[in-house]
Amino acid sequence: MKNKKIWITVCAIAVVVLLVWLLSGDKKEEKVTFETAKVERQNIHTSITATGTIEPVTSVTVGTQVSGIVAHLYVDYNSVVKKGQVIAELDKTNLTSELNTAKANLASAQSTLNYQKSNFQRYQTLFDKGLVSANDYENAKLNYEKALESVKSSQQSVNKAQTNLGYATITSPIDGVVLSKAVEEGQTVAASFNTPELFIIAQDLTDMRVIADIDEADIGGVKEGQRVSFTVDAFPDDHFEGQVTQVRQQATTQSNVVTYEVVISAPNKELKLKPGLTANVTIFTMEKDNVIAVPSKALRFTPNEALLQEGQQIEDIEAPAKVWTLDNNTFKAHAVETGTTNGMMTEITSGINEGAEVLVDFTLNNGETAEEQKTTNPFMPRPRNKNNQQKK
């Protein structure tokens, strides 16, 4: 039993000695590599993306106000038309008959008016001489006035019939190109409840626009005049340019998603853009070119005292925003004034000279970066390096 206790004591002492030797022995030194960036001029842009539909700036739906059979069509898809050009005609047989009937009724009403006028004049003469009663005179006057109103009503019927006959000849309201044709010769169109659609005419296909749906979270940054770049699947290698011309106030809600329509100009001199194409839109909500800037990570960098090598020191200052440089083994903070940012790059308006090298990040020999080090267990021991290497 005594020997067993002795052996247990010896083993325990050996384990303790081994642990002490492991903890106090030399370990591989941590190597630190610093990443730097030059303070230089950059183009800082922020943008939002969306999809939209290409359509003509001006398009007119041509219909008819009268019913009838389409007798003639003079244009087809893609036909170029001029304002006032006849593009279709309806059968005019019934409309001509209605006009003739209205004219006949007008002529009859005019004859009745002539008779009632003469009759009234006779009764007026006799009434003035006291040869007829006042009642007879009033009846003659009433009949004359009725005949006069009947002529006016008949004249309006003639005018309406003439107008309807004119509607049977359909002309183009604008100069443009026929995009759509909804009828064929011999087809009957009925205009009883609404105006039938016959054609859609686009005024100018060299001047198109994009109607883009912008999410409610992004619409606050969209303003008229902003530059826009977009692509279409039909020409994936081409980039088209335009600008925001209108931000519409009316919201659209679909599946609890609120969007706003934004109108974007789309010059189309080469006629590549066709109505109905889907455009993948990028709206540049902020653009500042040729400004002094640094990576935004540089403003978040802070030297780690635990990684200083022998002879290095830190010169820190209190400032809302600062960047760091490494000069002659000294980490020096520089207070800076910042401007616009797009998240990746930040404009520097003052505080450091163009061309200076600022610290952005560091990497340990185990591949751990500064961002990753912030999540490391703070209670784990980390040795002080003696022979760190700096890289610019």
Side-chain angles (χ1 to χ4, degrees):
M1 292 295 293
K2 291 182 179 180
N3 291 336
K4 186 176 181 180
K5 291 181 179 180
I6 293 173
W7 277 110
I8 293 174
T9 303
V10 171
C11 290
I13 294 173
V15 171
V16 172
V17 171
L18 179 61
L19 291 174
V20 171
W21 179 81
L22 290 174
L23 293 175
S24 62
D26 291 335
K27 294 184 179 179
K28 184 178 180 181
E29 293 183 347
E30 281 189 317
K31 185 189 298 183
V32 182
T33 301
F34 289 99
E35 179 186 347
T36 64
K38 184 177 290 187
V39 181
E40 58 186 359
R41 294 190 176 273
Q42 301 276 348
N43 297 332
I44 300 179
H45 299 163
T46 59
S47 62
I48 60 175
T49 58
T51 59
T53 303
I54 295 174
E55 63 180 39
V57 173
T58 301
S59 62
V60 178
T61 299
V62 181
T64 174
Q65 290 184 298
V66 294
S67 302
I69 298 174
V70 179
H72 302 285
L73 290 179
Y74 300 108
V75 295
D76 202 346
Y77 291 95
N78 300 333
S79 295
V80 178
V81 296
K82 298 293 183 181
K83 182 177 181 179
Q85 176 182 335
V86 177
I87 57 179
E89 283 185 327
L90 301 182
D91 181 73
K92 300 179 181 179
T93 303
N94 291 337
L95 297 174
T96 302
S97 177
E98 290 176 1
L99 176 60
N100 291 335
T101 298
K103 287 182 177 180
N105 291 336
L106 175 61
S108 175
Q110 187 64 52
S111 297
T112 302
L113 174 62
N114 292 337
Y115 167 76
Q116 294 296 342
K117 182 179 180 180
S118 298
N119 188 54
F120 170 66
Q121 289 175 345
R122 286 195 300 270
Y123 270 86
Q124 187 175 30
T125 302
L126 294 174
F127 178 73
D128 291 340
K129 295 180 179 181
L131 299 178
V132 295
S133 66
N135 185 54
D136 292 337
Y137 170 74
E138 292 294 337
N139 285 335
K141 181 179 179 182
L142 178 61
N143 291 334
Y144 168 67
E145 291 176 347
K146 286 182 177 179
L148 186 62
E149 293 300 325
S150 179
V151 168
K152 292 180 180 179
S153 177
S154 298
Q155 183 62 57
Q156 293 298 321
S157 296
V158 171
N159 294 341
K160 181 180 179 180
Q162 286 178 333
T163 302
N164 288 339
L165 182 61
Y167 287 151
T169 301
I170 300 165
T171 60
S172 174
I174 58 173
D175 295 343
V177 177
V178 177
L179 296 183
S180 171
K181 182 184 71 170
V183 294
E184 297 293 342
E185 289 187 1
Q187 183 174 339
T188 301
V189 292
S192 301
F193 301 102
N194 51 30
T195 301
E197 177 184 309
L198 304 182
F199 306 95
I200 296 179
I201 300 177
Q203 186 172 37
D204 185 6
L205 293 182
T206 63
D207 185 19
M208 306 287 278
R209 65 182 181 181
V210 178
I211 306 298
D213 295 323
I214 307 299
D215 189 84
E216 61 177 327
D218 299 323
I219 193 65
V222 180
K223 301 291 187 297
E224 292 184 10
Q226 290 173 340
R227 184 172 69 90
V228 179
S229 175
F230 64 92
T231 60
V232 294
D233 293 340
F235 303 97
D237 297 328
D238 293 342
H239 286 78
F240 302 91
E241 297 290 330
Q243 66 175 10
V244 177
T245 58
Q246 186 182 54
V247 180
R248 294 177 176 173
Q249 303 298 324
Q250 178 65 39
T252 302
T253 303
Q254 290 184 346
S255 301
N256 293 326
V257 177
V258 180
T259 59
Y260 292 83
E261 287 187 346
V262 172
V263 182
I264 300 165
S265 64
N268 189 32
K269 293 182 179 180
E270 298 180 2
L271 298 179
K272 288 185 176 181
L273 300 176
K274 301 182 183 300
L277 288 178
T278 298
N280 303 305
V281 175
T282 300
I283 302 176
F284 295 92
T285 55
M286 186 276 292
E287 292 186 283
K288 296 195 73 172
D289 296 335
N290 198 32
V291 296
I292 297 175
V294 297
S296 299
K297 289 174 61 177
L299 295 166
R300 300 191 295 268
F301 177 85
T302 301
N304 191 327
E305 294 184 358
L307 299 177
L308 294 179
Q309 71 175 14
E310 187 175 357
Q312 288 184 335
Q313 59 181 346
I314 297 175
E315 291 185 6
D316 199 357
I317 58 174
E318 292 291 333
K322 54 188 174 182
V323 295
W324 293 84
T325 59
L326 179 57
D327 300 319
N328 298 324
N329 287 332
T330 300
F331 291 90
K332 186 176 182 180
H334 302 264
V336 294
E337 295 288 336
T338 60
T340 55
T341 181
N342 62 0
M344 297 297 295
M345 303 295 296
T346 300
E347 178 187 5
I348 302 298
T349 58
S350 65
I352 194 166
N353 295 327
E354 182 179 357
E357 295 277 350
V358 297
L359 296 169
V360 175
D361 202 354
F362 67 82
T363 305
L364 303 179
N365 60 348
N366 60 5
E368 186 180 17
T369 65
E371 294 295 330
E372 293 169 343
Q373 189 197 38
K374 293 178 181 179
T375 62
T376 302
N377 189 338
F379 298 102
M380 291 295 293
R382 186 177 296 276
R384 180 184 181 90
N385 289 335
K386 301 298 182 181
N387 297 306
N388 292 340
Q389 294 184 2
Q390 292 78 35
K391 180 181 179 181
K392 293 187 179 181

